[in-house]
Amino acid sequence: MSLSAVHNVLALSILGTEKEHTVFEGECIGQILGMELIRRELGIRTATVGTDNQAGMQALMNPGPGTGRYLVDQVIAGIEKITRTRGERQIRIYWTPAHEGIPGNERADREAKRAAEGKETRGIGIGGLAGPLPVSKAAIVRRQKKMLKKEANDVFTKSPRYERMKAIDPNLPSRKFYQTAKGLPRKHAALLFQLRTGHCPLNAYLFRFKKIESAQCQACQQGDETVKHFLLECTAYRRHRAKMYEVVRPGPKAMQTLLSDPKAVRVLFIYITDTKRFEEALGDMLLHNETRKERK
Ligand SMILES: [Zn+2]
């Protein structure tokens, strides 16, 4: 059985599921067991071990801290045991990028399936692996993160706001937006988020919450002052918008680009400053490295 395939069996039969352990641990267990198999084959002079575990190979040369360190130590101990008992024996470990074409791999796959069906018991008595391993901290943290992300995703996609925001950014919840917002001063990030959600101090929103008498845009008197109207339609800001369209292609995706793309966001804040629409409430909305001179 090839060593690279052994870990499949072991990850399932010794470790349990990936909820409790990392693939790296499984790979290390495979190597520990492999070394033990080699040690028992007294007739073997040179053993060649193929593994697709680059991290494990690197760890053998330079074992870092990390939660699987105790397993790496066991692999090294296994290698030392082989060379100590029979000094003339050689072990060559090489990296194979895939399992295909390695004799024994099919057998290993069969065994892995058996293990997955629960036909193997946990714990194995060789290579110093007498019982189940302690649960991996890294695996627990990873599982927790995955669960949180899924939960946040579920809550968000079921919220009524989702449909509206999806029109702006179909990839929501968007990592890209958070990356864009993270690089902005707080005031800018907040306004950007408000524009994306529609919850911003423009007349259409203020009217909905009965803060003002009319939803109409006071700059052009030609329609409700929605985010779309303010950004793309208002004729009062036509001149300012022309500058924005040098970076953002006008059209149905313009809103999406303006409110998500980091390059476009810069020009968006120039537009916002030029229109003076939020000046009273928020002051100057130019980003620090934009100067007024540059905008002429
Ligand atoms: Zn208008």
Side-chain angles (χ1 to χ4, degrees):
M1 195 186 299
S2 70
L3 186 53
S4 56
V6 163
H7 76 78
N8 287 338
V9 185
L10 287 157
L12 290 160
S13 64
I14 298 181
L15 291 175
T17 68
E18 64 165 5
K19 286 179 186 161
E20 291 168 343
H21 298 285
T22 61
V23 171
F24 180 78
E25 282 177 281
E27 307 270 12
C28 287
I29 298 283
Q31 292 192 350
I32 293 168
L33 188 67
M35 293 313 154
E36 182 60 18
L37 292 175
I38 295 166
R39 192 185 68 79
R40 291 178 177 202
E41 293 294 328
L42 297 178
I44 293 177
R45 283 271 173 104
T46 307
T48 306
V49 178
T51 173
D52 66 343
N53 174 19
Q54 252 179 330
M57 284 176 73
Q58 273 158 10
L60 289 181
M61 288 183 283
N62 181 23
T67 50
R69 169 67 195 261
Y70 74 105
L71 290 171
V72 176
D73 287 345
Q74 282 192 52
V75 180
I76 294 170
I79 295 172
E80 280 168 358
K81 242 191 228 172
I82 297 167
T83 46
R84 200 172 53 228
T85 47
R86 291 202 152 201
E88 73 274 22
R89 291 210 286 181
Q90 271 193 339
I91 303 171
R92 285 190 305 205
I93 300 176
Y94 72 98
W95 177 62
T96 50
H99 296 175
E100 276 168 41
I102 296 172
N105 196 45
E106 273 179 29
R107 161 93 195 279
D109 278 347
R110 274 204 307 278
E111 297 291 339
K113 279 200 191 91
R114 279 169 55 82
E117 286 161 7
K119 287 174 186 162
E120 299 289 329
T121 52
R122 283 186 171 211
I124 194 157
I126 60 171
L129 299 165
L133 298 185
V135 170
S136 157
K137 186 178 147 200
I140 296 286
V141 170
R142 193 189 52 205
R143 180 165 57 138
Q144 200 67 21
K145 271 191 186 162
K146 205 169 156 188
M147 267 165 49
L148 278 175
K149 199 173 166 197
K150 192 179 172 299
E151 226 166 84
N153 208 52
D154 287 353
V155 168
F156 182 70
T157 50
K158 279 176 196 142
S159 78
R161 197 169 298 165
Y162 175 64
E163 282 306 314
R164 193 160 5 119
M165 286 189 70
K166 210 170 66 173
I168 297 170
D169 190 343
N171 301 320
L172 277 168
S174 157
R175 181 178 281 259
K176 191 176 171 190
F177 170 69
Y178 289 108
Q179 288 300 333
T180 306
K182 220 166 69 181
L184 294 172
R186 200 185 161 87
K187 181 168 82 168
H188 295 73
L191 180 61
L192 186 62
F193 193 76
Q194 289 175 355
L195 289 168
R196 285 168 69 95
T197 54
H199 292 212
C200 65
L202 290 171
N203 293 347
Y205 177 77
L206 296 173
F207 177 70
R208 227 174 93 208
F209 289 90
K210 304 192 170 40
K211 304 273 186 209
I212 51 170
E213 300 281 296
S214 161
Q216 198 175 56
C217 172
Q218 295 306 304
C220 69
Q221 315 274 353
Q222 285 168 9
D224 288 357
E225 195 190 31
T226 59
V227 175
K228 193 173 171 214
H229 176 87
F230 169 67
L231 292 178
L232 307 179
E233 296 164 353
C234 186
T235 52
Y237 308 131
R238 205 186 282 141
R239 191 168 53 84
H240 308 109
R241 197 172 295 116
K243 179 100 188 160
M244 209 160 59
Y245 284 161
E246 286 171 21
V247 177
V248 179
R249 195 188 291 265
K253 290 214 168 148
M255 282 269 281
Q256 191 183 317
T257 312
L258 272 174
L259 299 173
S260 319
D261 187 273
K263 263 192 238 152
V265 162
R266 303 201 73 79
V267 82
L268 170 73
F269 283 114
I270 294 176
Y271 174 79
I272 287 171
T273 306
D274 287 348
T275 63
K276 297 190 170 36
R277 182 61 183 89
F278 294 101
E279 197 168 75
E280 203 183 314
L282 300 169
D284 192 342
M285 288 305 282
L286 273 191
L287 289 165
H288 290 312
N289 45 358
E290 304 283 357
T291 64
R292 291 196 175 266
K293 201 171 142 214
E294 259 179 74
R295 294 182 297 125
K296 281 181 186 149

